[in-house]
Amino acid sequence: MQIPQLQAAAQRMRAYNILAIHCAGSGHPGGTLSIMDVTAALYCHVMRHDPAKPDWPERDRCVWSTGHKAPALYVALAQTGYCKMDDVVTGLRQFGSPFEGHPNGLKLQGVEVSTGSLGQGLGYCVGQALALKGRGSDARMFCMMGDGEQQEGSVWEAAMSAGHFKLDNLVAIIDVNGLQIDGPTKDVMNVEPLDRKYEAFGWKVMKIDGHDMQQIVDTFDQARAVKGQPVCILVATHKGKGVSFMEDKAGWHGIATTSREQLDQALADIGEPELTKEKVDQLLKQSADVKAKATRHCAGLMPKFSRDYWWNAQPGTMQVKMEPTRFGFGKAIERIGDDPRIVTLHADISGSIKIADFEAKHPERKNRVFSVGIAEQNMVSVACGLAREGLIPVGGTYGVFACGRNWDQWRTTACYGNLNVKMAGAHGGISVGRDGATHQALEEISILSILPNMHISVPCDSIETDKATEEIILKVTGPGYVRYAREGTPVVTRPDTPYKWGVANIIRFRGAQPEFPDAFETIPASDYAGENEDVAIIACGPAVAEAMRAAWILKEEAGLETRVINLHTVKPLDRDAIIAAMRQVGSVMTVEEHQTGGLGGLVAQVAACEKELDTPFKLDMIGIDDRFGQSADPWELMQYFGLTAEHIAKRAVKLIEKPSMAK
């Protein structure tokens, strides 16, 4: 394509990109719009590739290390023939679609590798570039990154190795729009001067205006001529480019347009003639149809009973309020924040995970807030240093990053040193929904519970999260982790519901009531003697609410009594409550919004190693069976993965060998 054609392609891609994000109801418009001119030039002019032969060995390859900008990649693939543009619009972040919240290389041709956790793409590119050179190929590697992403230490390990190996077949493209979720990059964690840093590692650095198509094309031509060193192109852009109310606004990093008026204004600003009102209406309807089909499919996977027991399905009875558990964390960190020992560490998603509630209404606390940027390993190391000096550092980020990227820091520095470091593992489980597998934390219990000195709490609702947060920060000495969800979770406890660290709660269904929590009695496990129940369901986190609803279903449909055990403290476990369930009930299930065996394996270990447990028992485990998540609404994923009360009730009947009541 020539320059006018490339400009037209970028305009078309911008328009479809913003429409796709609107239809999905979530996504990242700011960065996708900022990088669109470079993306159009790269896929429509610079790269050597062929949609008819997506695995052609001599193709140029582009890795999107900045995986949240996936919609820009998808419209580029559509523009060049790998898929249909309409399918991107109607399928983005939908259940079963290849256009996931972050790129999935196993589902969509043209995607080189699955990405989503920032800072990993450049190292991957170094490996591919080495392999291409080794076999004498002249194919080139391109790596798309963001400026905030440069806060990840792994980027600089990769940059050092690329310079060391003199990889002149590698081009790093950095979208320098100056904004990330928490605000200006220079304020969150300054990464400049990027040019001198990359040059120090042996790179050839070029700076361009990321919205000047001629300059973009010319710079890529110049990069091809560089020999003996990798090239880094620093692309100066405007976040939200092309949409008047989004440009240079950090708030539009990860929020879709919410109304037709906003969408129409955005499309008018972009000015793509192909997207007429009739075309937009058509795509909005098709998107709604795709969504409705997915909803019906997932709902159809649920066992059916004599009536609908879904949340708030029956007016006037068993009604429940929905509130994100993260709200409970925010309330607690604000309430206890006057303690001068508490300091917080922000890792760029502060508002979303509610850790910013610590200082939002208390400006006097801001001198106890430290932003470390997108740098989870450093966050734990810094927290350990603070803890060693008698402070109580509280960090927070998505669960996948809070426990995984920094596991060695947790192990060697925090836990081995038994330092008083606390971490909020936000957006645990599948509740992050449409962001997809890379952001759905399903492994934290397993990978953290194995660590000596670690303490773990997985509260069931926002009220219990409030209690657990205060407990683990102020009363537990040593490393501590609180896992909580993002989306609305049923509030199934009351402020006066018993809560004691390390002691499970026994929850018994007593009969339907207008308010769901009032239908249950909660007793500390240490005070409970047993009622000859038919089945025991051991759960933690949001799975507790589903276990409670399963107890209701089992009583109403089959006359079965259920002992629900809320293991809100996962480490240390309430071993006595587990052994009592095995001995007194015999038929026991574990339920977790986690890889099967995280909680279940810990429970099984307790039972298997109890020398005095001579009573036969049966154990079943419900969780996500050795799979990654996918993009969809959280409730669709609960139904798809079999984590709902309906699935639990059906499995419980099978476990205790009663006649099936489910169709």
Side-chain angles (χ1 to χ4, degrees), residues 526-540:
S526 55
D527 299 337
Y528 187 70
E531 299 180 30
N532 297 314
E533 298 95 340
D534 298 288
V535 64
I537 303 175
I538 303 176
C540 64

mmCIF file of all heavy atoms in Angstrom, residues 526-540:
data_model
loop_
_atom_site.group_PDB
_atom_site.id
_atom_site.type_symbol
_atom_site.label_atom_id
_atom_site.label_comp_id
_atom_site.label_asym_id
_atom_site.label_seq_id
_atom_site.Cartn_x
_atom_site.Cartn_y
_atom_site.Cartn_z
ATOM 1 N N SER A 526 -15.338 -24.857 65.550
ATOM 2 C CA SER A 526 -14.908 -25.305 66.876
ATOM 3 C C SER A 526 -16.072 -25.464 67.844
ATOM 4 O O SER A 526 -15.937 -26.134 68.876
ATOM 5 C CB SER A 526 -13.889 -24.314 67.450
ATOM 6 O OG SER A 526 -14.428 -22.992 67.466
ATOM 7 N N ASP A 527 -17.234 -24.862 67.525
ATOM 8 C CA ASP A 527 -18.419 -24.944 68.389
ATOM 9 C C ASP A 527 -19.485 -25.876 67.831
ATOM 10 O O ASP A 527 -20.588 -25.951 68.389
ATOM 11 C CB ASP A 527 -19.040 -23.548 68.566
ATOM 12 C CG ASP A 527 -18.091 -22.565 69.227
ATOM 13 O OD1 ASP A 527 -17.171 -23.016 69.926
ATOM 14 O OD2 ASP A 527 -18.262 -21.349 69.012
ATOM 15 N N TYR A 528 -19.190 -26.583 66.750
ATOM 16 C CA TYR A 528 -20.225 -27.356 66.060
ATOM 17 C C TYR A 528 -20.047 -28.847 66.347
ATOM 18 O O TYR A 528 -18.943 -29.389 66.211
ATOM 19 C CB TYR A 528 -20.134 -27.103 64.553
ATOM 20 C CG TYR A 528 -21.258 -27.708 63.746
ATOM 21 C CD1 TYR A 528 -22.554 -27.204 63.830
ATOM 22 C CD2 TYR A 528 -21.020 -28.786 62.902
ATOM 23 C CE1 TYR A 528 -23.580 -27.763 63.090
ATOM 24 C CE2 TYR A 528 -22.040 -29.347 62.153
ATOM 25 C CZ TYR A 528 -23.326 -28.833 62.254
ATOM 26 O OH TYR A 528 -24.343 -29.386 61.513
ATOM 27 N N ALA A 529 -21.174 -29.491 66.717
ATOM 28 C CA ALA A 529 -21.121 -30.906 67.088
ATOM 29 C C ALA A 529 -21.577 -31.840 65.981
ATOM 30 O O ALA A 529 -21.310 -33.045 66.029
ATOM 31 C CB ALA A 529 -21.975 -31.140 68.335
ATOM 32 N N GLY A 530 -22.284 -31.319 64.968
ATOM 33 C CA GLY A 530 -22.767 -32.182 63.896
ATOM 34 C C GLY A 530 -24.252 -32.453 63.982
ATOM 35 O O GLY A 530 -24.817 -32.502 65.082
ATOM 36 N N GLU A 531 -24.898 -32.655 62.811
ATOM 37 C CA GLU A 531 -26.341 -32.882 62.760
ATOM 38 C C GLU A 531 -26.685 -34.037 61.827
ATOM 39 O O GLU A 531 -27.744 -34.046 61.192
ATOM 40 C CB GLU A 531 -27.060 -31.602 62.301
ATOM 41 C CG GLU A 531 -26.849 -30.417 63.228
ATOM 42 C CD GLU A 531 -27.583 -29.169 62.747
ATOM 43 O OE1 GLU A 531 -28.646 -29.289 62.097
ATOM 44 O OE2 GLU A 531 -27.082 -28.052 63.004
ATOM 45 N N ASN A 532 -25.785 -34.970 61.683
ATOM 46 C CA ASN A 532 -26.029 -36.150 60.840
ATOM 47 C C ASN A 532 -26.345 -35.765 59.392
ATOM 48 O O ASN A 532 -27.279 -36.294 58.780
ATOM 49 C CB ASN A 532 -27.170 -36.995 61.422
ATOM 50 C CG ASN A 532 -26.825 -37.548 62.790
ATOM 51 O OD1 ASN A 532 -25.732 -38.069 62.997
ATOM 52 N ND2 ASN A 532 -27.753 -37.413 63.727
ATOM 53 N N GLU A 533 -25.566 -34.870 58.844
ATOM 54 C CA GLU A 533 -25.794 -34.416 57.471
ATOM 55 C C GLU A 533 -25.482 -35.533 56.474
ATOM 56 O O GLU A 533 -24.729 -36.470 56.754
ATOM 57 C CB GLU A 533 -24.923 -33.198 57.149
ATOM 58 C CG GLU A 533 -25.215 -31.981 58.018
ATOM 59 C CD GLU A 533 -24.299 -31.874 59.208
ATOM 60 O OE1 GLU A 533 -23.693 -32.909 59.600
ATOM 61 O OE2 GLU A 533 -24.179 -30.753 59.756
ATOM 62 N N ASP A 534 -26.062 -35.383 55.281
ATOM 63 C CA ASP A 534 -25.855 -36.355 54.206
ATOM 64 C C ASP A 534 -24.581 -36.088 53.407
ATOM 65 O O ASP A 534 -23.975 -37.013 52.868
ATOM 66 C CB ASP A 534 -27.056 -36.333 53.244
ATOM 67 C CG ASP A 534 -28.342 -36.726 53.937
ATOM 68 O OD1 ASP A 534 -28.498 -37.914 54.250
ATOM 69 O OD2 ASP A 534 -29.182 -35.829 54.177
ATOM 70 N N VAL A 535 -24.201 -34.831 53.301
ATOM 71 C CA VAL A 535 -23.029 -34.472 52.512
ATOM 72 C C VAL A 535 -22.404 -33.215 53.107
ATOM 73 O O VAL A 535 -23.108 -32.371 53.675
ATOM 74 C CB VAL A 535 -23.405 -34.237 51.027
ATOM 75 C CG1 VAL A 535 -24.343 -33.041 50.870
ATOM 76 C CG2 VAL A 535 -22.169 -34.080 50.147
ATOM 77 N N ALA A 536 -21.096 -33.112 53.001
ATOM 78 C CA ALA A 536 -20.375 -31.912 53.416
ATOM 79 C C ALA A 536 -19.726 -31.290 52.189
ATOM 80 O O ALA A 536 -19.109 -32.000 51.378
ATOM 81 C CB ALA A 536 -19.319 -32.248 54.453
ATOM 82 N N ILE A 537 -19.895 -29.986 52.037
ATOM 83 C CA ILE A 537 -19.286 -29.258 50.922
ATOM 84 C C ILE A 537 -18.298 -28.257 51.508
ATOM 85 O O ILE A 537 -18.687 -27.331 52.218
ATOM 86 C CB ILE A 537 -20.339 -28.527 50.072
ATOM 87 C CG1 ILE A 537 -21.389 -29.510 49.544
ATOM 88 C CG2 ILE A 537 -19.664 -27.803 48.909
ATOM 89 C CD1 ILE A 537 -22.536 -28.847 48.786
ATOM 90 N N ILE A 538 -17.026 -28.458 51.220
ATOM 91 C CA ILE A 538 -15.964 -27.581 51.709
ATOM 92 C C ILE A 538 -15.605 -26.608 50.595
ATOM 93 O O ILE A 538 -15.275 -27.021 49.481
ATOM 94 C CB ILE A 538 -14.727 -28.395 52.127
ATOM 95 C CG1 ILE A 538 -15.101 -29.427 53.195
ATOM 96 C CG2 ILE A 538 -13.633 -27.477 52.626
ATOM 97 C CD1 ILE A 538 -13.953 -30.348 53.590
ATOM 98 N N ALA A 539 -15.665 -25.312 50.883
ATOM 99 C CA ALA A 539 -15.455 -24.311 49.833
ATOM 100 C C ALA A 539 -14.716 -23.111 50.398
ATOM 101 O O ALA A 539 -14.593 -22.934 51.616
ATOM 102 C CB ALA A 539 -16.801 -23.873 49.239
ATOM 103 N N CYS A 540 -14.229 -22.281 49.491
ATOM 104 C CA CYS A 540 -13.628 -21.011 49.864
ATOM 105 C C CYS A 540 -13.961 -19.989 48.785
ATOM 106 O O CYS A 540 -14.317 -20.353 47.659
ATOM 107 C CB CYS A 540 -12.110 -21.130 50.030
ATOM 108 S SG CYS A 540 -11.222 -21.558 48.522
#
